[in-house]
Amino acid sequence: MQKRTLLIVATLLAADLCASGANYSQIPGEKDELLWYPRPASTWTEALPLGNGHLGAMVFGDVDHEHFQLNESTLYSGDPEHTYKAIDIRERYGEVTSLLKQGKYKESEQLIADEWLGRNHQCYQPLGDVRIDFLHNGAFREYRRTLDLSSAVSTVEYRVNGTRFKREYFISNPDRVMVIRLVAEGPEKINCTLRLSSPHEETVTREAKDNRLLLKGKAPGFVLRRDFQLVEKLGDQHKYPEVYTKEGILKPNASRILYDKDINGLGMPFEIQVTSNYTDGTILVSEDGLEIREAHEVVLILSAATGYNGYDKSPVSEGVDPHGKAQAFLNKALALKYPHLYANHVHDYRSLFGRVGIQLGNKSEQSGLPTDQRVALFSNGKDPSLASLYFQFGRYLMIAGSRQGGQPLNLQGIWNDQITPPWNGAYTMNINLQMNYWPAEVANLTECHQPLFQAIKELAENGKETARNMYGNEGWVAHHNMDIWRHAEPIDNCKCSFWPMASGWLVSHLWEHYLFSGDRGFLEKEVYPLLKGAVMFYKDWLVPTAKGRLVTPVGHSPELNFRINETQTSSYSPGPTMDLAIIREAYSRFIEAHAILGIENESNLLDTIAAQLDKLQPYQIGKYGQLQEWLDDLEDADTQHRHLSHLYGIFPGNQIHRHVSQELSGSVKKVLERRGNGGMGWSKTWKLAIWARLFDGENAFSQLNSFLTLITANKVGINPGGTFPNLFCGPPFQIDGNFGAVAGIAEMLVQSHAGEIHLLPALPKAWSNGKVTGLKVRGGFEIDMEWTNGKLTNAVIYSKLGGNCRIRTEGAIKFPDLVLSTPASGKNTNPLFSFIDPKAPLNIHGLHIPEANHKPSNCFDFPTKAGSVYRVTGL
């Protein structure tokens, strides 16, 4: 298509301009794609992130003492065989379910805590630090630190006397290295010393070899996030033989962080290598560092690798050689000059980033302020364009943190500076991991979804064993947490740990990829086996109520408690709404996949699933008019709770829709009103997306406004969810809120989950003028749009697959190039928009918008051909 040809040409031209020295990041224009600051970072959450999906760096930008904090996406503590799997719920299952039926919730909760939980998983680790100490002959001025989202290049610029110093940093995905370019323009020269260090210093050795500085080390073989007092209070000593004897006594050398010899040689090895690719000065390399003298220009290349060789292989006995791997990356990069490295990086990055452009509202004088000041002032309404920058920053983070062949984004993405990070820096699967990938398809970053798909396949392998040994069930199961070793059993301590529902939610990501791509082979080979495994587990897990409805026997609504009485709360009950929403979705899609693929040899299983689907407990509306969270209309222990688990059916699911049931939609709205606008950052962005699904642009924008509140030292704890100066979500930093905001903004602009493509469904007044290009929607379509005064002026629809296109808008439209458009009626004939019809207003199995809700003036069908382009204009 012409659009794609122009994109490729523009990308190559821009890369050539950058490589030849053009200052692309400073070229003025309407795009809001630059983070900038007039001072160095003083804290980690002011530093700027770089990454290539494998190697990550936080750039501080200090004039005299530059600092890069490094991560490698596979560097975790622990080992795949070291976990606790001796859990069998069958021994106390009858007792637990009997207590629940009697309303003895506290007693059942204690049994679950004592018998059905495992141990804490392992931690994502920092890799090391690069520090460059510079010598200057005077004070600096005209300082500027940037991150250019259009090129994924960070810069630091300043003047000392008559010399302009500039530093350029990027991490290349095609060449798998970090590139550091230092330039002095003027009489002063570059004089500096680079040193490597690591938080794992007790295992570190340094070496100067072949003009390279090498740092080798090992991650901890064991990290325990819990303190010993808690382990002993829980009676969990037997789960941690690394630090407790068989008698439950703390070992003499016990520590919550154990390295190498103290843990039987366990621990993932890693290596960092750095050298110069070019300089006109002199370089001396020793074990103490890399010393540069009297240079006008220096190019440094850094590589890193670990011994990781798969989720099921010990990095000690079956790992790869990190030295050889890091050396190969560095050797390849050293064969290329800086302009070539730059062009490789920019071309690769822009092939993803350049697919989507966005401008929300108009840029203003306030838009020119430093980024942290823009966040601090966002609530005054004078800089709506900041949302454009935030949207593109989220897309940048996904490209920088999740690339094909790498690991999925964890709670911190790939950026973490702590040996024991918040929540282990791993994967929380009752919302946070999934939220990381909500924008992957709609934001046109499909390839970045691949690491998650691979991780789900790996988790399912362990999940089969857990389903069989822990439950005696078929299929596979996953609980609320995992680490790089893909352990599927529940972890310890937390009430939310026993939650055997993650598989269905995870598989929904593969299903969504199918709906966006139309890839039937992917449906058959990747989606269906995992979906079938999840469904088979649920089939064995469901039980009937006294009224004959099917529910889960022991359920938890993450991560909320309900009130038993005025003084007691509990967490577990039969059939929470979220459990049933996930099962309803998985069952409906299983039946649909059967029909699409024409599977003929599983009729008994298909009949069983269809029969169970008919008997699932329907949605219920409680005494406050709210969507009920539990089987019984229990009181929330926390009416302002951060989780919105029972609203899964409206977002990210598609079972509740205002066009289908005003009653259910109203009950969702009541929940949002009762929960309020507060909560952690990720919670605010979930609310944002749900308000968008309710077509309420003003409340969605209000939620975004609350989220884009600057977190400063004196505000932490006052507004629990907000935005750090470097645009990370927190506190503490967890990256899911960044991605949740991208998904929520996209839902305000276009929705395609309901059998149609709905343009501008939740546009707030603040964005009355704007445009967006390249958003993907289900059915294999891409959308460009422009609007003025809140009304669509024109849209361009790119059809990748062909088939019927159903368009809905809030205002009247016409198709200047078409004579075949007709008012929409009935079910969309495009199979990628097919849904199972609801059988009752409160027992929705899928979604089909009744004809009565189609307005001929603004909902049309028209046929498309693969590779063709279609225009829509407003009236």
PDB file of all heavy atoms in Angstrom, residues 398 402-404 408 434 436-442 445-456 506 508-510 512-513 516:
ATOM      1  N   MET A 398       7.179  -0.426  25.401  1.00  0.00           N
ATOM      2  CA  MET A 398       6.920  -1.785  24.935  1.00  0.00           C
ATOM      3  C   MET A 398       7.976  -2.228  23.928  1.00  0.00           C
ATOM      4  O   MET A 398       8.464  -3.368  23.978  1.00  0.00           O
ATOM      5  CB  MET A 398       5.521  -1.892  24.329  1.00  0.00           C
ATOM      6  CG  MET A 398       5.189  -3.299  23.858  1.00  0.00           C
ATOM      7  SD  MET A 398       3.432  -3.564  23.576  1.00  0.00           S
ATOM      8  CE  MET A 398       2.830  -3.623  25.262  1.00  0.00           C
ATOM      9  N   SER A 402      10.132  -5.332  25.245  1.00  0.00           N
ATOM     10  CA  SER A 402       9.538  -6.625  24.864  1.00  0.00           C
ATOM     11  C   SER A 402       9.743  -6.850  23.376  1.00  0.00           C
ATOM     12  O   SER A 402       8.977  -6.348  22.556  1.00  0.00           O
ATOM     13  CB  SER A 402       8.042  -6.624  25.205  1.00  0.00           C
ATOM     14  OG  SER A 402       7.451  -7.874  24.923  1.00  0.00           O
ATOM     15  N   ARG A 403      10.763  -7.619  23.047  1.00  0.00           N
ATOM     16  CA  ARG A 403      11.054  -7.899  21.646  1.00  0.00           C
ATOM     17  C   ARG A 403      11.056  -9.403  21.416  1.00  0.00           C
ATOM     18  O   ARG A 403      11.290 -10.205  22.335  1.00  0.00           O
ATOM     19  CB  ARG A 403      12.408  -7.302  21.229  1.00  0.00           C
ATOM     20  CG  ARG A 403      12.490  -5.788  21.343  1.00  0.00           C
ATOM     21  CD  ARG A 403      11.469  -5.048  20.500  1.00  0.00           C
ATOM     22  NE  ARG A 403      11.700  -5.208  19.079  1.00  0.00           N
ATOM     23  CZ  ARG A 403      12.427  -4.386  18.343  1.00  0.00           C
ATOM     24  NH1 ARG A 403      13.025  -3.327  18.892  1.00  0.00           N
ATOM     25  NH2 ARG A 403      12.563  -4.588  17.051  1.00  0.00           N
ATOM     26  N   GLN A 404      10.831  -9.788  20.179  1.00  0.00           N
ATOM     27  CA  GLN A 404      10.753 -11.195  19.826  1.00  0.00           C
ATOM     28  C   GLN A 404      12.011 -11.934  20.277  1.00  0.00           C
ATOM     29  O   GLN A 404      13.125 -11.458  20.086  1.00  0.00           O
ATOM     30  CB  GLN A 404      10.567 -11.343  18.319  1.00  0.00           C
ATOM     31  CG  GLN A 404       9.192 -10.918  17.832  1.00  0.00           C
ATOM     32  CD  GLN A 404       9.044 -10.999  16.326  1.00  0.00           C
ATOM     33  OE1 GLN A 404       9.597 -10.176  15.608  1.00  0.00           O
ATOM     34  NE2 GLN A 404       8.303 -11.975  15.849  1.00  0.00           N
ATOM     35  N   PRO A 408       8.919 -11.665  28.496  1.00  0.00           N
ATOM     36  CA  PRO A 408       7.836 -10.680  28.602  1.00  0.00           C
ATOM     37  C   PRO A 408       8.161  -9.621  29.642  1.00  0.00           C
ATOM     38  O   PRO A 408       9.002  -9.824  30.520  1.00  0.00           O
ATOM     39  CB  PRO A 408       6.632 -11.529  29.019  1.00  0.00           C
ATOM     40  CG  PRO A 408       7.205 -12.748  29.644  1.00  0.00           C
ATOM     41  CD  PRO A 408       8.516 -12.991  28.978  1.00  0.00           C
ATOM     42  N   GLN A 434      -1.007  -9.070  32.429  1.00  0.00           N
ATOM     43  CA  GLN A 434      -1.930  -8.909  31.304  1.00  0.00           C
ATOM     44  C   GLN A 434      -2.047  -7.435  30.891  1.00  0.00           C
ATOM     45  O   GLN A 434      -2.071  -7.114  29.704  1.00  0.00           O
ATOM     46  CB  GLN A 434      -3.302  -9.478  31.649  1.00  0.00           C
ATOM     47  CG  GLN A 434      -3.325 -10.987  31.822  1.00  0.00           C
ATOM     48  CD  GLN A 434      -3.043 -11.437  33.255  1.00  0.00           C
ATOM     49  OE1 GLN A 434      -2.407 -10.711  34.028  1.00  0.00           O
ATOM     50  NE2 GLN A 434      -3.533 -12.615  33.618  1.00  0.00           N
ATOM     51  N   ASN A 436       0.151  -5.197  31.046  1.00  0.00           N
ATOM     52  CA  ASN A 436       1.340  -4.818  30.278  1.00  0.00           C
ATOM     53  C   ASN A 436       1.117  -4.953  28.779  1.00  0.00           C
ATOM     54  O   ASN A 436       1.710  -4.215  27.985  1.00  0.00           O
ATOM     55  CB  ASN A 436       2.531  -5.697  30.672  1.00  0.00           C
ATOM     56  CG  ASN A 436       3.152  -5.302  31.994  1.00  0.00           C
ATOM     57  OD1 ASN A 436       2.816  -4.279  32.577  1.00  0.00           O
ATOM     58  ND2 ASN A 436       4.077  -6.106  32.476  1.00  0.00           N
ATOM     59  N   TYR A 437       0.279  -5.910  28.384  1.00  0.00           N
ATOM     60  CA  TYR A 437       0.108  -6.203  26.963  1.00  0.00           C
ATOM     61  C   TYR A 437      -1.260  -5.803  26.410  1.00  0.00           C
ATOM     62  O   TYR A 437      -1.571  -6.122  25.278  1.00  0.00           O
ATOM     63  CB  TYR A 437       0.399  -7.690  26.713  1.00  0.00           C
ATOM     64  CG  TYR A 437       1.879  -7.969  26.818  1.00  0.00           C
ATOM     65  CD1 TYR A 437       2.446  -8.366  28.018  1.00  0.00           C
ATOM     66  CD2 TYR A 437       2.716  -7.774  25.728  1.00  0.00           C
ATOM     67  CE1 TYR A 437       3.815  -8.584  28.123  1.00  0.00           C
ATOM     68  CE2 TYR A 437       4.077  -7.990  25.819  1.00  0.00           C
ATOM     69  CZ  TYR A 437       4.621  -8.386  27.019  1.00  0.00           C
ATOM     70  OH  TYR A 437       5.983  -8.595  27.115  1.00  0.00           O
ATOM     71  N   TRP A 438      -2.052  -5.081  27.191  1.00  0.00           N
ATOM     72  CA  TRP A 438      -3.327  -4.595  26.666  1.00  0.00           C
ATOM     73  C   TRP A 438      -3.159  -3.782  25.389  1.00  0.00           C
ATOM     74  O   TRP A 438      -3.963  -3.915  24.458  1.00  0.00           O
ATOM     75  CB  TRP A 438      -4.052  -3.766  27.721  1.00  0.00           C
ATOM     76  CG  TRP A 438      -4.746  -4.577  28.768  1.00  0.00           C
ATOM     77  CD1 TRP A 438      -4.893  -5.950  28.807  1.00  0.00           C
ATOM     78  CD2 TRP A 438      -5.398  -4.088  29.942  1.00  0.00           C
ATOM     79  NE1 TRP A 438      -5.585  -6.322  29.929  1.00  0.00           N
ATOM     80  CE2 TRP A 438      -5.905  -5.203  30.650  1.00  0.00           C
ATOM     81  CE3 TRP A 438      -5.589  -2.815  30.471  1.00  0.00           C
ATOM     82  CZ2 TRP A 438      -6.601  -5.070  31.850  1.00  0.00           C
ATOM     83  CZ3 TRP A 438      -6.277  -2.676  31.672  1.00  0.00           C
ATOM     84  CH2 TRP A 438      -6.785  -3.804  32.346  1.00  0.00           C
ATOM     85  N   PRO A 439      -2.144  -2.921  25.271  1.00  0.00           N
ATOM     86  CA  PRO A 439      -2.068  -2.112  24.040  1.00  0.00           C
ATOM     87  C   PRO A 439      -1.303  -2.764  22.898  1.00  0.00           C
ATOM     88  O   PRO A 439      -1.180  -2.157  21.829  1.00  0.00           O
ATOM     89  CB  PRO A 439      -1.337  -0.850  24.522  1.00  0.00           C
ATOM     90  CG  PRO A 439      -0.466  -1.311  25.633  1.00  0.00           C
ATOM     91  CD  PRO A 439      -1.197  -2.452  26.295  1.00  0.00           C
ATOM     92  N   ALA A 440      -0.797  -3.985  23.060  1.00  0.00           N
ATOM     93  CA  ALA A 440       0.109  -4.550  22.057  1.00  0.00           C
ATOM     94  C   ALA A 440      -0.505  -4.583  20.667  1.00  0.00           C
ATOM     95  O   ALA A 440       0.148  -4.229  19.678  1.00  0.00           O
ATOM     96  CB  ALA A 440       0.552  -5.952  22.479  1.00  0.00           C
ATOM     97  N   GLU A 441      -1.748  -4.995  20.561  1.00  0.00           N
ATOM     98  CA  GLU A 441      -2.375  -5.120  19.236  1.00  0.00           C
ATOM     99  C   GLU A 441      -2.904  -3.784  18.738  1.00  0.00           C
ATOM    100  O   GLU A 441      -2.597  -3.355  17.623  1.00  0.00           O
ATOM    101  CB  GLU A 441      -3.503  -6.157  19.287  1.00  0.00           C
ATOM    102  CG  GLU A 441      -3.063  -7.556  19.712  1.00  0.00           C
ATOM    103  CD  GLU A 441      -2.174  -8.247  18.695  1.00  0.00           C
ATOM    104  OE1 GLU A 441      -2.251  -7.898  17.504  1.00  0.00           O
ATOM    105  OE2 GLU A 441      -1.398  -9.132  19.094  1.00  0.00           O
ATOM    106  N   VAL A 442      -3.687  -3.093  19.537  1.00  0.00           N
ATOM    107  CA  VAL A 442      -4.319  -1.858  19.070  1.00  0.00           C
ATOM    108  C   VAL A 442      -3.279  -0.787  18.773  1.00  0.00           C
ATOM    109  O   VAL A 442      -3.452   0.029  17.857  1.00  0.00           O
ATOM    110  CB  VAL A 442      -5.365  -1.359  20.097  1.00  0.00           C
ATOM    111  CG1 VAL A 442      -4.715  -0.890  21.384  1.00  0.00           C
ATOM    112  CG2 VAL A 442      -6.236  -0.263  19.493  1.00  0.00           C
ATOM    113  N   LEU A 445       1.772  -2.926  17.743  1.00  0.00           N
ATOM    114  CA  LEU A 445       3.050  -3.497  18.169  1.00  0.00           C
ATOM    115  C   LEU A 445       2.907  -5.005  18.359  1.00  0.00           C
ATOM    116  O   LEU A 445       3.346  -5.581  19.354  1.00  0.00           O
ATOM    117  CB  LEU A 445       3.515  -2.832  19.469  1.00  0.00           C
ATOM    118  CG  LEU A 445       3.827  -1.337  19.366  1.00  0.00           C
ATOM    119  CD1 LEU A 445       4.159  -0.753  20.733  1.00  0.00           C
ATOM    120  CD2 LEU A 445       4.958  -1.073  18.390  1.00  0.00           C
ATOM    121  N   THR A 446       2.283  -5.630  17.377  1.00  0.00           N
ATOM    122  CA  THR A 446       1.968  -7.049  17.464  1.00  0.00           C
ATOM    123  C   THR A 446       3.194  -7.896  17.771  1.00  0.00           C
ATOM    124  O   THR A 446       3.136  -8.840  18.574  1.00  0.00           O
ATOM    125  CB  THR A 446       1.327  -7.520  16.141  1.00  0.00           C
ATOM    126  OG1 THR A 446       0.083  -6.851  15.981  1.00  0.00           O
ATOM    127  CG2 THR A 446       1.104  -9.010  16.132  1.00  0.00           C
ATOM    128  N   GLU A 447       4.317  -7.593  17.145  1.00  0.00           N
ATOM    129  CA  GLU A 447       5.519  -8.398  17.354  1.00  0.00           C
ATOM    130  C   GLU A 447       5.974  -8.387  18.816  1.00  0.00           C
ATOM    131  O   GLU A 447       6.575  -9.346  19.291  1.00  0.00           O
ATOM    132  CB  GLU A 447       6.663  -7.881  16.467  1.00  0.00           C
ATOM    133  CG  GLU A 447       6.408  -8.023  14.975  1.00  0.00           C
ATOM    134  CD  GLU A 447       5.704  -6.830  14.374  1.00  0.00           C
ATOM    135  OE1 GLU A 447       5.008  -6.102  15.119  1.00  0.00           O
ATOM    136  OE2 GLU A 447       5.845  -6.607  13.158  1.00  0.00           O
ATOM    137  N   CYS A 448       5.677  -7.287  19.513  1.00  0.00           N
ATOM    138  CA  CYS A 448       6.076  -7.185  20.915  1.00  0.00           C
ATOM    139  C   CYS A 448       5.250  -8.097  21.820  1.00  0.00           C
ATOM    140  O   CYS A 448       5.600  -8.298  22.984  1.00  0.00           O
ATOM    141  CB  CYS A 448       5.955  -5.736  21.378  1.00  0.00           C
ATOM    142  SG  CYS A 448       7.055  -4.600  20.509  1.00  0.00           S
ATOM    143  N   HIS A 449       4.165  -8.639  21.314  1.00  0.00           N
ATOM    144  CA  HIS A 449       3.321  -9.577  22.052  1.00  0.00           C
ATOM    145  C   HIS A 449       3.968 -10.953  22.175  1.00  0.00           C
ATOM    146  O   HIS A 449       3.630 -11.734  23.080  1.00  0.00           O
ATOM    147  CB  HIS A 449       1.977  -9.706  21.317  1.00  0.00           C
ATOM    148  CG  HIS A 449       0.780  -9.683  22.213  1.00  0.00           C
ATOM    149  ND1 HIS A 449      -0.481  -9.372  21.751  1.00  0.00           N
ATOM    150  CD2 HIS A 449       0.618  -9.953  23.523  1.00  0.00           C
ATOM    151  CE1 HIS A 449      -1.349  -9.446  22.747  1.00  0.00           C
ATOM    152  NE2 HIS A 449      -0.712  -9.803  23.835  1.00  0.00           N
ATOM    153  N   GLN A 450       4.894 -11.270  21.257  1.00  0.00           N
ATOM    154  CA  GLN A 450       5.431 -12.625  21.149  1.00  0.00           C
ATOM    155  C   GLN A 450       6.071 -13.150  22.433  1.00  0.00           C
ATOM    156  O   GLN A 450       5.871 -14.320  22.789  1.00  0.00           O
ATOM    157  CB  GLN A 450       6.428 -12.686  19.980  1.00  0.00           C
ATOM    158  CG  GLN A 450       6.927 -14.074  19.633  1.00  0.00           C
ATOM    159  CD  GLN A 450       8.149 -14.502  20.458  1.00  0.00           C
ATOM    160  OE1 GLN A 450       8.870 -13.649  20.977  1.00  0.00           O
ATOM    161  NE2 GLN A 450       8.361 -15.799  20.580  1.00  0.00           N
ATOM    162  N   PRO A 451       6.865 -12.359  23.180  1.00  0.00           N
ATOM    163  CA  PRO A 451       7.443 -12.907  24.412  1.00  0.00           C
ATOM    164  C   PRO A 451       6.392 -13.412  25.405  1.00  0.00           C
ATOM    165  O   PRO A 451       6.620 -14.399  26.105  1.00  0.00           O
ATOM    166  CB  PRO A 451       8.240 -11.734  24.973  1.00  0.00           C
ATOM    167  CG  PRO A 451       8.609 -10.927  23.774  1.00  0.00           C
ATOM    168  CD  PRO A 451       7.394 -11.014  22.882  1.00  0.00           C
ATOM    169  N   LEU A 452       5.253 -12.729  25.464  1.00  0.00           N
ATOM    170  CA  LEU A 452       4.190 -13.199  26.346  1.00  0.00           C
ATOM    171  C   LEU A 452       3.644 -14.529  25.862  1.00  0.00           C
ATOM    172  O   LEU A 452       3.415 -15.447  26.662  1.00  0.00           O
ATOM    173  CB  LEU A 452       3.067 -12.167  26.430  1.00  0.00           C
ATOM    174  CG  LEU A 452       1.856 -12.589  27.275  1.00  0.00           C
ATOM    175  CD1 LEU A 452       2.260 -12.805  28.727  1.00  0.00           C
ATOM    176  CD2 LEU A 452       0.733 -11.553  27.171  1.00  0.00           C
ATOM    177  N   PHE A 453       3.417 -14.661  24.566  1.00  0.00           N
ATOM    178  CA  PHE A 453       2.890 -15.920  24.035  1.00  0.00           C
ATOM    179  C   PHE A 453       3.818 -17.081  24.379  1.00  0.00           C
ATOM    180  O   PHE A 453       3.367 -18.163  24.778  1.00  0.00           O
ATOM    181  CB  PHE A 453       2.725 -15.834  22.517  1.00  0.00           C
ATOM    182  CG  PHE A 453       1.751 -14.790  22.053  1.00  0.00           C
ATOM    183  CD1 PHE A 453       1.794 -14.311  20.744  1.00  0.00           C
ATOM    184  CD2 PHE A 453       0.791 -14.254  22.900  1.00  0.00           C
ATOM    185  CE1 PHE A 453       0.906 -13.352  20.298  1.00  0.00           C
ATOM    186  CE2 PHE A 453      -0.097 -13.288  22.471  1.00  0.00           C
ATOM    187  CZ  PHE A 453      -0.033 -12.837  21.164  1.00  0.00           C
ATOM    188  N   GLN A 454       5.115 -16.872  24.224  1.00  0.00           N
ATOM    189  CA  GLN A 454       6.078 -17.928  24.524  1.00  0.00           C
ATOM    190  C   GLN A 454       6.062 -18.272  26.005  1.00  0.00           C
ATOM    191  O   GLN A 454       6.104 -19.451  26.388  1.00  0.00           O
ATOM    192  CB  GLN A 454       7.482 -17.502  24.097  1.00  0.00           C
ATOM    193  CG  GLN A 454       8.565 -18.543  24.343  1.00  0.00           C
ATOM    194  CD  GLN A 454       8.328 -19.835  23.594  1.00  0.00           C
ATOM    195  OE1 GLN A 454       7.778 -19.833  22.488  1.00  0.00           O
ATOM    196  NE2 GLN A 454       8.727 -20.959  24.184  1.00  0.00           N
ATOM    197  N   ALA A 455       5.984 -17.270  26.857  1.00  0.00           N
ATOM    198  CA  ALA A 455       5.950 -17.515  28.299  1.00  0.00           C
ATOM    199  C   ALA A 455       4.708 -18.303  28.697  1.00  0.00           C
ATOM    200  O   ALA A 455       4.765 -19.172  29.591  1.00  0.00           O
ATOM    201  CB  ALA A 455       6.008 -16.188  29.057  1.00  0.00           C
ATOM    202  N   ILE A 456       3.577 -18.020  28.069  1.00  0.00           N
ATOM    203  CA  ILE A 456       2.346 -18.756  28.378  1.00  0.00           C
ATOM    204  C   ILE A 456       2.505 -20.225  28.003  1.00  0.00           C
ATOM    205  O   ILE A 456       2.084 -21.122  28.751  1.00  0.00           O
ATOM    206  CB  ILE A 456       1.147 -18.113  27.652  1.00  0.00           C
ATOM    207  CG1 ILE A 456       0.883 -16.699  28.184  1.00  0.00           C
ATOM    208  CG2 ILE A 456      -0.111 -18.968  27.835  1.00  0.00           C
ATOM    209  CD1 ILE A 456      -0.097 -15.893  27.354  1.00  0.00           C
ATOM    210  N   LEU A 506      -4.798 -15.409  30.465  1.00  0.00           N
ATOM    211  CA  LEU A 506      -3.592 -15.383  29.652  1.00  0.00           C
ATOM    212  C   LEU A 506      -3.882 -15.794  28.208  1.00  0.00           C
ATOM    213  O   LEU A 506      -3.417 -15.153  27.254  1.00  0.00           O
ATOM    214  CB  LEU A 506      -2.532 -16.302  30.259  1.00  0.00           C
ATOM    215  CG  LEU A 506      -1.930 -15.832  31.597  1.00  0.00           C
ATOM    216  CD1 LEU A 506      -1.086 -16.936  32.200  1.00  0.00           C
ATOM    217  CD2 LEU A 506      -1.102 -14.565  31.412  1.00  0.00           C
ATOM    218  N   SER A 508      -6.506 -15.442  26.606  1.00  0.00           N
ATOM    219  CA  SER A 508      -7.277 -14.411  25.898  1.00  0.00           C
ATOM    220  C   SER A 508      -6.366 -13.519  25.066  1.00  0.00           C
ATOM    221  O   SER A 508      -6.792 -12.973  24.035  1.00  0.00           O
ATOM    222  CB  SER A 508      -8.087 -13.563  26.884  1.00  0.00           C
ATOM    223  OG  SER A 508      -7.262 -12.681  27.621  1.00  0.00           O
ATOM    224  N   HIS A 509      -5.112 -13.375  25.476  1.00  0.00           N
ATOM    225  CA  HIS A 509      -4.183 -12.553  24.698  1.00  0.00           C
ATOM    226  C   HIS A 509      -3.871 -13.199  23.349  1.00  0.00           C
ATOM    227  O   HIS A 509      -3.760 -12.499  22.331  1.00  0.00           O
ATOM    228  CB  HIS A 509      -2.901 -12.311  25.492  1.00  0.00           C
ATOM    229  CG  HIS A 509      -3.032 -11.201  26.479  1.00  0.00           C
ATOM    230  ND1 HIS A 509      -2.592  -9.926  26.235  1.00  0.00           N
ATOM    231  CD2 HIS A 509      -3.598 -11.173  27.717  1.00  0.00           C
ATOM    232  CE1 HIS A 509      -2.872  -9.157  27.274  1.00  0.00           C
ATOM    233  NE2 HIS A 509      -3.480  -9.894  28.185  1.00  0.00           N
ATOM    234  N   LEU A 510      -3.749 -14.501  23.328  1.00  0.00           N
ATOM    235  CA  LEU A 510      -3.538 -15.180  22.050  1.00  0.00           C
ATOM    236  C   LEU A 510      -4.790 -15.092  21.179  1.00  0.00           C
ATOM    237  O   LEU A 510      -4.700 -14.930  19.954  1.00  0.00           O
ATOM    238  CB  LEU A 510      -3.155 -16.646  22.277  1.00  0.00           C
ATOM    239  CG  LEU A 510      -1.733 -16.884  22.804  1.00  0.00           C
ATOM    240  CD1 LEU A 510      -1.723 -16.974  24.326  1.00  0.00           C
ATOM    241  CD2 LEU A 510      -1.122 -18.147  22.226  1.00  0.00           C
ATOM    242  N   GLU A 512      -7.012 -12.680  21.201  1.00  0.00           N
ATOM    243  CA  GLU A 512      -7.099 -11.324  20.679  1.00  0.00           C
ATOM    244  C   GLU A 512      -6.150 -11.141  19.492  1.00  0.00           C
ATOM    245  O   GLU A 512      -6.492 -10.482  18.509  1.00  0.00           O
ATOM    246  CB  GLU A 512      -6.781 -10.304  21.773  1.00  0.00           C
ATOM    247  CG  GLU A 512      -7.856 -10.184  22.831  1.00  0.00           C
ATOM    248  CD  GLU A 512      -9.163  -9.640  22.283  1.00  0.00           C
ATOM    249  OE1 GLU A 512      -9.131  -8.819  21.342  1.00  0.00           O
ATOM    250  OE2 GLU A 512     -10.236 -10.031  22.782  1.00  0.00           O
ATOM    251  N   HIS A 513      -4.974 -11.726  19.578  1.00  0.00           N
ATOM    252  CA  HIS A 513      -4.053 -11.635  18.439  1.00  0.00           C
ATOM    253  C   HIS A 513      -4.680 -12.265  17.199  1.00  0.00           C
ATOM    254  O   HIS A 513      -4.538 -11.731  16.083  1.00  0.00           O
ATOM    255  CB  HIS A 513      -2.728 -12.329  18.754  1.00  0.00           C
ATOM    256  CG  HIS A 513      -1.800 -12.401  17.588  1.00  0.00           C
ATOM    257  ND1 HIS A 513      -1.184 -11.288  17.062  1.00  0.00           N
ATOM    258  CD2 HIS A 513      -1.402 -13.447  16.821  1.00  0.00           C
ATOM    259  CE1 HIS A 513      -0.441 -11.651  16.026  1.00  0.00           C
ATOM    260  NE2 HIS A 513      -0.560 -12.945  15.863  1.00  0.00           N
ATOM    261  N   PHE A 516      -7.210  -9.795  15.741  1.00  0.00           N
ATOM    262  CA  PHE A 516      -6.583  -8.670  15.065  1.00  0.00           C
ATOM    263  C   PHE A 516      -5.894  -9.101  13.769  1.00  0.00           C
ATOM    264  O   PHE A 516      -5.870  -8.345  12.800  1.00  0.00           O
ATOM    265  CB  PHE A 516      -5.563  -8.003  15.988  1.00  0.00           C
ATOM    266  CG  PHE A 516      -6.151  -7.003  16.936  1.00  0.00           C
ATOM    267  CD1 PHE A 516      -6.660  -7.397  18.164  1.00  0.00           C
ATOM    268  CD2 PHE A 516      -6.176  -5.658  16.613  1.00  0.00           C
ATOM    269  CE1 PHE A 516      -7.189  -6.486  19.053  1.00  0.00           C
ATOM    270  CE2 PHE A 516      -6.706  -4.728  17.491  1.00  0.00           C
ATOM    271  CZ  PHE A 516      -7.220  -5.131  18.710  1.00  0.00           C
TER     272      PHE A 516
END
